[in-house]
Amino acid sequence: MKKRNMVIFILIIAIVGSISFGAINGVKLGKYKIPPIKQKIQLGLDLAGGVYVVLEAQTKDTGKELEKKMEQTKAIITQRVDSLGVAEPNIVIEGKKRIRVELAGIKNSQEAIDLIGKTAQLQFVDPQGKIVVTGKNVKESDVGFQQSATGKEEPVVSLRFDKEGAKKFEEATKALSQKTDPKEKAIFIVVDDKVISSPIVQQPISDGKAVIQGSFDVKSATELANLIRAGALPVELKQVQTSVIGPTLGLESLDKSILAGAIGLLITFLFMIVMYRVPGFIADICLTIYILLTLSIMIGLDVKLTLPGIAGLILSIGMAVDANILIFERIKEELKSGKSLRMAVDSGFKRALTSVIDSNITTLIAGTVLYYLGTGPIKGFGVTLIIGLCTSMITAVFVTKFLLKLTVNTRLSKNTKLFGA
Amino acid sequence: MNIVKNRNIFFTLSILFIVVGIFMAAFKGLNYGIDFTGGTLIQIDLEKKVPTEDIRKITNEFDKNASIIHAGENKNQVIIKSSLNLNDKQTKEIFNKFKEKYNLKATEADKAESLGSAIGSEIQRNALIAVIAASIGILLYVTFRFEFKFGLSAVISLIHDALFMFSFYSIFRLQIDSTFIAAILTIIGYSINDTIVIFDRIRENSKNTKKENYEELINNSIKQTLRRTMATSFTTLISIMLLYIIGVEAIKGFALPLVVGIIIGTYSSIFIASPIWYILKTRTNSNKNLKQA
């Protein structure tokens, strides 16, 4: 029995050790490659660098109506951002009237900000200045090709209206086509208050299709088609906050924070061994598992690591250490009261458990509030704190217990001094 | 040490500190960050340390009151904060002036941030809501798991922590920005964790002792958990302090209040929370005795 437990114990140390080595340095096994955790974990804007903009809707709407408009706005912005080709943009509605757009890795902030805020307002205007149809009634917009007057194939933007738009367009073109003066037969296609083209209407157009000609190349035609397709924003947006973070700043902060974290962990590990001997060593294994688990969950859930997130992580490591300290202090007390090691571990563990659970759940309540009421970095802090607390409870309750029981049944148990008694 | 007996000393100390803090805030105002007041922040890597006066020569052109902070390794970076709301074009212009004068390699500022002042009041309001929401949640949970008086004592000590933190910022004129709020909420989380461990011990010990000598009960419970409190605070503090010492400017602003908060949280769970519970417990009991008599 004793021998077997010792073998299992050493095996666990070896496994945890090699997994952490793999996590730090990455693994290469023939064809299979697992990159180091540092590369896998997604970085928030403050670490990766990039742009963020907070836009506020200028509207008096409230309640359901506002909610609906904000959702629409978000969808449109998402479409626009997608055309920028940003990897995993983060677009969230903050509070009631604000939208936060985070674009990691974007270098040209101006371009991004312009594009997010840009509304391609498309209007068809008759010679009297009356607006016939607007972009609102456009169902589809695409790039097409049409022969120009000189016989060259040139890119155009082809549109298809919805039912309402088609009807309005038909009525207007019918009226225009009946005019005799060519000046009065033109329909002006206006994008963002700029006349793009003004074709002459020869006959009524009833199929709901229209073409915008202009001196486009393929790229500019695609851009316009995209902007029209994305539609007009349902509300006017005002920039209330913008931030550009250089990537060098981010990388520097990450490396330094990792260094700080590593030294802090090392001191904590040593402290635990000095204070609690064998259990302290067990706590170190448990902590290592805890950190690996927490980081894996963060990778799995696509949680982005931010600077406050690092602080949250360190704080939750503190809580994980605390759970172990609570258990070991109890075991020490039980040993001092004269119980055998096996008894002391059992009852000490049981007694510490209510403290561990109650204290962690109350902290969890605070973390949850942070997550739900916080924005941006505060939210990130809340998420890492919640993940950290849950994992720390699980590892303290199950892993520490399992390892303690293993060692109780080995030769190590002969000397209760090794358990801090 | 008889903590319960000397409770008035700790109460007085805390109240004094909080009152001074509130007075300072009322008369001298608080050092709000641009998250609160609105304004612009530009961080530029100058590749060498440049004296503040030289930087002022450029910044005076747009804002004579701009604050200038050196940051980064060897203090090569400069953070310019202005209460003016500059647009993207203006910040770019300012950066270009530095670029020209110091022959910088970078094409853009390391960080350029602009905030409207409307956000500040909203952050403040949200923070207050968050503290209240967290307090109610904790009160409910502790009442459910322990008893209402424990819950009430825990929440009072949390409010103490939040106020203490506020006073700390006010007295030492530290800048209040959005991380300050995260810090306060974190402290609440840490402090409650500490408090609950002691309360848990009090609850357990009160089951084992028949005599209801609360003074002894509390003092013993604190004594029994003291080693744990110290060990936990030590390991957590070490990590956060290292983050403060090694970390970059951006995280320092967050690490410092955490360091202060962990110390306050530890202090309040020992010297504030438990004595408050003592008062609540003995006061109602003596009332009961009076009624019986």
Side-chain angles (χ1 to χ4, degrees):
Chain A
M1 259 323 261
K2 282 178 182 174
K3 242 187 197 158
R4 219 191 80 191
N5 279 340
M6 202 64 199
V7 170
I8 296 175
F9 188 63
I10 290 170
L11 211 64
I12 289 173
I13 298 173
I15 292 171
V16 172
S18 46
I19 292 177
S20 3
F21 182 80
I24 296 168
N25 298 304
V27 184
K28 234 198 248 171
L29 263 177
K31 265 196 263 174
Y32 299 100
K33 254 194 239 164
I34 302 170
I37 276 189
K38 193 183 151 187
Q39 282 171 31
K40 284 281 278 199
I41 206 142
Q42 280 198 43
L43 300 181
L45 208 64
D46 51 356
L47 292 172
V51 182
Y52 81 75
V53 192
V54 179
L55 303 157
E56 189 177 62
Q58 307 295 302
T59 169
K60 285 195 178 109
D61 288 334
T62 50
K64 279 258 154 62
E65 191 56 36
L66 179 66
E67 244 170 69
K68 199 178 131 206
K69 280 192 178 167
M70 292 307 283
E71 283 299 334
Q72 283 173 348
T73 311
K74 186 184 159 189
I76 291 168
I77 291 180
T78 308
Q79 245 177 0
R80 288 181 186 171
V81 168
D82 281 345
S83 75
L84 264 181
V86 178
E88 308 202 34
N90 191 17
I91 301 161
V92 284
I93 297 174
E94 258 183 27
K96 288 197 173 103
K97 280 186 162 181
R98 294 211 181 98
I99 289 186
R100 172 188 285 258
V101 186
E102 296 188 342
L103 309 168
I106 285 271
K107 284 187 194 112
N108 191 340
S109 54
Q110 198 56 50
E111 187 191 6
I113 291 166
D114 283 350
L115 193 92
I116 295 163
K118 199 163 174 184
T119 318
Q121 268 211 321
L122 173 72
Q123 290 171 334
F124 287 81
V125 185
D126 71 9
Q128 275 78 45
K130 210 183 102 202
I131 296 165
V132 178
V133 197
T134 66
K136 227 170 55 188
N137 292 114
V138 174
K139 219 163 109 189
E140 263 177 45
S141 93
D142 249 317
V143 183
F145 288 90
Q146 212 173 51
Q147 225 166 40
S148 72
T150 54
K152 228 172 69 187
E153 283 271 309
E154 61 170 31
V156 293
V157 177
S158 70
L159 306 171
R160 233 184 64 197
F161 296 116
D162 60 8
K163 244 186 184 168
E164 192 195 341
K167 210 177 121 209
K168 283 186 188 164
F169 198 58
E170 192 187 348
E171 278 167 17
T173 46
K174 205 169 158 185
L176 290 175
S177 63
Q178 280 158 4
K179 298 267 161 75
T180 41
D181 185 353
K183 266 187 198 157
E184 292 198 347
K185 285 172 86 88
I187 188 157
F188 297 92
I189 302 171
V190 182
V191 176
D192 288 342
D193 295 326
K194 219 168 76 196
V195 178
I196 300 286
S197 56
S198 48
I200 308 291
V201 180
Q202 302 295 356
Q203 58 210 41
I205 301 170
S206 57
D207 61 354
K209 283 182 184 164
V211 161
I212 306 173
Q213 275 178 310
S215 28
F216 293 122
D217 54 20
V218 178
K219 198 181 151 217
S220 58
T222 314
E223 259 176 31
L224 182 60
N226 279 342
L227 282 173
I228 292 171
R229 198 186 312 138
L233 293 170
V235 285
E236 198 194 321
L237 293 173
K238 200 180 116 193
Q239 266 182 47
V240 282
Q241 185 178 354
T242 60
S243 184
V244 183
I245 298 146
T248 44
L249 184 73
L251 284 178
E252 190 196 8
S253 3
L254 182 64
D255 282 340
K256 281 185 170 177
S257 306
I258 289 177
L259 182 67
I263 299 173
L265 265 182
L266 205 68
I267 296 174
T268 306
F269 276 20
L270 288 175
F271 175 81
M272 290 302 280
I273 292 178
V274 171
M275 282 280 286
Y276 302 104
R277 317 287 159 79
V278 173
F281 183 65
I282 289 174
D284 291 351
I285 300 172
C286 181
L287 275 181
T288 312
I289 296 175
Y290 157 78
I291 292 165
L292 289 173
L293 252 173
T294 307
L295 292 178
S296 311
I297 292 173
M298 285 181 69
I299 293 172
L301 292 179
D302 273 342
V303 174
K304 292 195 171 97
L305 191 67
T306 58
L307 281 177
I310 291 174
L313 208 57
I314 289 181
L315 205 69
S316 70
I317 291 174
M319 302 295 178
V321 178
D322 182 55
N324 283 295
I325 291 176
L326 271 168
I327 294 166
F328 302 154
E329 280 294 330
R330 277 304 175 122
I331 293 173
K332 259 190 189 180
E333 277 174 40
E334 301 288 307
L335 279 173
K336 276 183 190 152
S337 75
K339 282 189 182 153
S340 74
L341 183 62
R342 192 183 303 244
M343 291 270 286
V345 167
D346 267 349
S347 62
F349 195 87
K350 216 184 268 163
R351 292 196 154 177
L353 206 59
T354 59
S355 290
V356 172
I357 290 174
D358 282 337
S359 60
N360 274 304
I361 287 182
T362 41
T363 310
L364 208 54
I365 292 173
T368 313
V369 169
L370 275 184
Y371 177 73
Y372 278 106
L373 296 178
T375 51
I378 297 177
K379 218 183 185 74
F381 177 79
V383 178
T384 40
L385 193 63
I386 292 170
I387 294 174
L389 283 171
C390 293
T391 343
S392 98
M393 265 198 279
I394 291 164
T395 47
V397 172
F398 296 106
V399 181
T400 306
K401 190 177 182 182
F402 178 72
L403 290 175
L404 272 176
K405 292 222 157 154
L406 263 184
T407 50
V408 166
N409 289 326
T410 62
R411 277 193 183 171
L412 288 171
S413 63
K414 284 268 158 61
N415 187 353
T416 48
K417 275 229 164 66
L418 288 176
F419 281 77
Chain B
M1 184 166 55
N2 193 333
I3 289 160
V4 176
K5 201 172 183 182
N6 294 321
R7 61 183 181 276
N8 285 335
I9 300 175
F10 309 118
F11 290 161
T12 314
L13 279 177
S14 283
I15 289 170
L16 209 67
F17 190 82
I18 290 168
V19 167
V20 170
I22 290 172
F23 263 99
M24 289 273 286
F27 290 112
K28 290 187 79 178
L30 292 161
N31 178 10
Y32 282 118
I34 57 164
D35 304 29
F36 279 82
T37 57
T40 312
L41 177 151
I42 311 167
Q43 183 165 355
I44 300 170
D45 187 355
L46 295 175
E47 293 162 26
K48 60 172 182 273
K49 188 174 178 202
V50 176
T52 310
E53 307 88 74
D54 290 2
I55 295 167
R56 280 231 181 269
K57 274 179 203 152
I58 298 179
T59 59
N60 277 350
E61 288 171 33
F62 68 97
D63 180 8
K64 284 202 163 56
N65 296 318
S67 74
I68 289 158
I69 305 156
H70 286 283
E73 231 166 305
N74 311 322
K75 301 282 171 204
N76 282 354
Q77 290 172 358
V78 61
I79 299 172
I80 302 159
K81 285 182 184 173
S82 162
S83 56
L84 299 178
N85 235 319
L86 306 171
N87 62 29
D88 306 314
K89 232 174 107 188
Q90 288 167 305
T91 50
K92 188 98 192 163
E93 253 171 55
I94 293 163
F95 172 77
N96 283 337
K97 279 187 185 149
F98 278 100
K99 185 179 164 69
E100 227 170 86
K101 187 163 174 190
Y102 297 105
N103 242 328
L104 303 179
K105 275 182 244 123
T107 50
E108 253 189 277
D110 280 334
K111 192 172 175 180
E113 209 166 342
S114 101
L115 297 113
S117 59
I119 285 198
S121 56
E122 196 176 302
I123 292 176
Q124 273 174 316
R125 213 191 58 226
N126 283 347
L128 201 63
I129 293 171
V131 172
I132 292 168
S135 299
I136 292 172
I138 288 164
L139 186 67
L140 288 177
Y141 182 77
V142 178
T143 305
F144 168 69
R145 289 281 299 174
F146 293 73
E147 57 164 23
F148 179 70
K149 279 171 202 163
F150 274 123
L152 192 61
S153 322
V155 167
I156 293 174
S157 103
L158 290 189
I159 294 167
H160 161 270
D161 293 340
L163 286 175
F164 202 102
M165 199 60 163
F166 173 84
S167 297
F168 185 83
Y169 269 70
S170 157
I171 291 169
F172 294 98
R173 299 203 61 71
L174 299 177
Q175 194 172 73
I176 295 185
D177 51 24
S178 54
T179 54
F180 162 75
I181 282 147
I184 283 202
L185 291 165
T186 313
I187 293 337
I188 288 181
Y190 185 86
S191 173
I192 190 72
N193 192 295
D194 231 19
T195 306
I196 294 300
V197 171
I198 297 175
F199 281 1
D200 184 71
R201 190 51 85 105
I202 294 177
R203 176 175 60 176
E204 190 188 316
N205 287 342
S206 68
K207 279 180 201 154
N208 301 334
T209 51
K210 282 192 179 147
K211 262 195 311 177
E212 290 201 333
N213 183 351
Y214 289 113
E215 195 172 313
E216 202 184 300
L217 173 66
I218 293 171
N219 284 335
N220 281 342
S221 304
I222 290 174
K223 214 179 287 161
Q224 284 163 6
T225 47
L226 199 61
R227 268 171 60 92
R228 170 263 155 199
T229 307
M230 290 301 146
T232 300
S233 297
F234 171 77
T235 51
T236 315
L237 263 183
I238 282 287
S239 300
I240 302 281
M241 271 176 165
L242 278 163
L243 210 54
Y244 182 75
I245 296 164
I246 300 173
V248 290
E249 216 61 40
I251 206 159
K252 276 188 181 179
F254 194 62
L256 178 68
L258 288 187
V259 170
V260 178
I262 286 166
I263 296 169
I264 298 170
T266 310
Y267 163 81
S268 79
S269 44
I270 295 176
F271 299 101
I272 304 288
S274 308
I276 286 177
W277 182 75
Y278 173 82
I279 292 172
L280 289 175
K281 203 73 187 169
T282 49
R283 182 165 290 177
T284 41
N285 271 10
S286 58
N287 281 347
K288 248 186 231 160
N289 292 340
L290 279 175
K291 266 179 206 161
Q292 276 164 4

